[in-house]
Amino acid sequence: MSASILTVDDSPSLRMAIRIALTGAGYVVTEASDGLEGLNKSRGTRFDLIITDQNMPNMDGLTMIRELRRDPAQCGTPIIFLTTESEESMKQQAKAAGATGWLVKPFVPDQLIRVARKVLGR
């Protein structure tokens, strides 16, 4: 069975690039346009991996991660932070919030797939 991945980003073109890369690797991808939508979708469906941006309207990535980690059903779901933010302080905040890993935009599709495979173990 293929892994199910939720990707959360306010950029339609970036969501499309992520979807193309991950579906090409055999993953099932669901998209959300901001943290609030991502949080709501994650409450209705169990995802194997969540990939999120930081800077989005309605709810940013850090807030979404904190909310997900409070949910017993989602506390073990790996979360990759995919963002333009590269400052060490932001990385520490993401780690403290519960992010599993970090990738800086722009991303290389092969790198994203490698990270997904490593985190998912498939």
Side-chain angles (χ1 to χ4, degrees), residues 27-48:
Y27 297 115
V28 176
V29 176
T30 300
E31 299 178 22
S33 62
D34 61 48
L36 186 58
E37 184 181 5
L39 186 63
N40 288 333
K41 285 189 174 185
S42 71
R43 287 180 172 152
T45 304
R46 176 85 169 104
F47 294 100
D48 299 304

Side-chain angles (χ1 to χ4, degrees), residues 8-10 14 34-35 51-66 80-86 90 93-94 97 102-103 105:
V8 185
D9 199 300
D10 59 335
L14 193 61
D34 61 48
I51 300 171
T52 185
D53 186 20
Q54 164 56 11
N55 300 310
M56 300 177 285
N58 300 317
M59 180 183 287
D60 64 37
L62 281 176
T63 303
M64 184 187 78
I65 292 170
R66 289 183 187 113
I80 302 297
F81 218 51
L82 179 62
T83 181
T84 56
E85 304 273 347
S86 60
M90 181 57 78
Q93 289 180 57
W102 184 284
L103 282 173
K105 296 178 189 173

Side-chain angles (χ1 to χ4, degrees), residues 81-114:
F81 218 51
L82 179 62
T83 181
T84 56
E85 304 273 347
S86 60
E87 294 178 15
E88 187 59 32
S89 63
M90 181 57 78
K91 289 181 182 178
Q92 292 304 317
Q93 289 180 57
K95 185 176 179 180
T100 308
W102 184 284
L103 282 173
V104 176
K105 296 178 189 173
F107 70 96
V108 176
D110 287 344
Q111 181 186 23
L112 179 63
I113 293 166
R114 280 195 306 274

